Amino acid sequence: MKNQRLTPGQIIGNLAALMVFICTLTVTTVSAGGLSALFTESDVDISALSPVDGEGHGYRIVYRVPVDIDTFWRFKTDFDNSFLIQNKTITSHRLLRRYNNIAVTETTYAAAPGKHFTWETTTDIDNYQMQFRLIDPRSSGQRYHWGFIQLIRDGHQTIVVQQAYFDFTGAGFWVVYPWQGGMRDVLKTNAVWEQEAIMRMQAAYR
């Protein structure tokens, strides 16, 4: 693949795989209606990680959600859902197959029209952990993307640790880009959506 200068829109398109899990949330104890005003960068801890094999990039994010661990686990592992398309970054989502504790899903994103991102997620309910990887990453413009999500019980709330490693053309620029469309902005944007979603739908997962 030849190197080329990417526009911000193309960078976000290559980045779309990072959005599927809508993976960051913040700490709050108020009603859903007042959540947006309280979501700030300081509410979530995001760290850049060195790649495992010397190439690519990684991140680690730690955050808290104001619902109990079992409710949030059921929400996060509801792979056959229709609510993800309520997120404006996602245009379609479907469960392709599920066997034992492995789910395979396909998602398309508004920023990457024509590309299908196929994810394999292995769930471990005894340890409240999900391990995920992008299947056939090159077909969606990625070199690789894999990681895990770990839920930790904290009374009636849940601490979430997510760690992921990825690589694609323009990833280095995206990781450090400090404005709209950069890594922190994308993670924060999806954090707001997911926090409001679980607050709206928590009754269905209790």
Side-chain angles (χ1 to χ4, degrees), residues 20-197:
V20 68
F21 290 100
I22 318 302
C23 63
T24 65
L25 306 173
T26 63
V27 180
T28 183
T29 58
V30 300
S31 65
L35 288 174
S36 295
L38 293 183
F39 272 77
T40 65
E41 192 72 14
S42 61
D43 291 325
V44 59
D45 180 48
I46 302 172
S47 303
L49 299 179
S50 299
V52 174
D53 63 357
E55 297 182 15
H57 306 273
Y59 70 84
R60 183 175 187 266
I61 185 165
V62 182
Y63 54 93
R64 187 189 307 268
V65 294
V67 295
D68 65 273
I69 193 170
D70 291 304
T71 297
F72 194 64
W73 174 262
R74 287 188 284 269
F75 173 80
K76 290 292 282 184
T77 58
D78 181 8
F79 300 107
D80 190 15
N81 73 77
S82 59
F83 61 74
L84 280 181
I85 61 173
Q86 297 173 20
N87 185 325
K88 65 181 181 180
T89 66
I90 294 175
T91 56
S92 72
H93 168 81
R94 62 177 178 142
L95 175 67
L96 298 179
R97 58 187 177 274
R98 188 164 193 167
Y99 48 96
N100 298 324
N101 64 328
I102 298 175
V104 178
T105 56
E106 180 186 82
T107 305
T108 60
Y109 301 88
K115 292 184 178 180
H116 297 266
F117 294 81
T118 305
W119 298 91
E120 180 183 84
T121 304
T122 303
T123 60
D124 179 358
I125 191 171
D126 293 331
N127 295 302
Y128 294 102
Q129 186 180 88
M130 290 165 272
Q131 296 187 21
F132 58 89
R133 70 182 183 94
L134 186 62
I135 299 175
D136 191 16
R138 294 191 182 278
S139 67
S140 53
Q142 312 284 309
R143 180 168 170 259
Y144 64 83
H145 188 159
W146 59 272
F148 69 86
I149 299 171
Q150 177 69 58
L151 306 187
I152 302 170
R153 190 188 307 275
D154 186 31
H156 296 296
Q157 300 186 58
T158 304
I159 296 173
V160 185
V161 178
Q162 175 158 325
Q163 191 162 308
Y165 297 92
F166 57 91
D167 195 21
F168 56 85
T169 301
F173 177 72
W174 176 73
V175 168
V176 300
Y177 188 70
W179 298 290
Q180 183 176 356
M183 183 177 76
R184 290 180 180 274
D185 176 71
V186 169
L187 295 176
K188 180 182 175 183
T189 296
N190 285 290
V192 174
W193 182 88
E194 188 173 62
Q195 179 68 48
E196 293 181 342

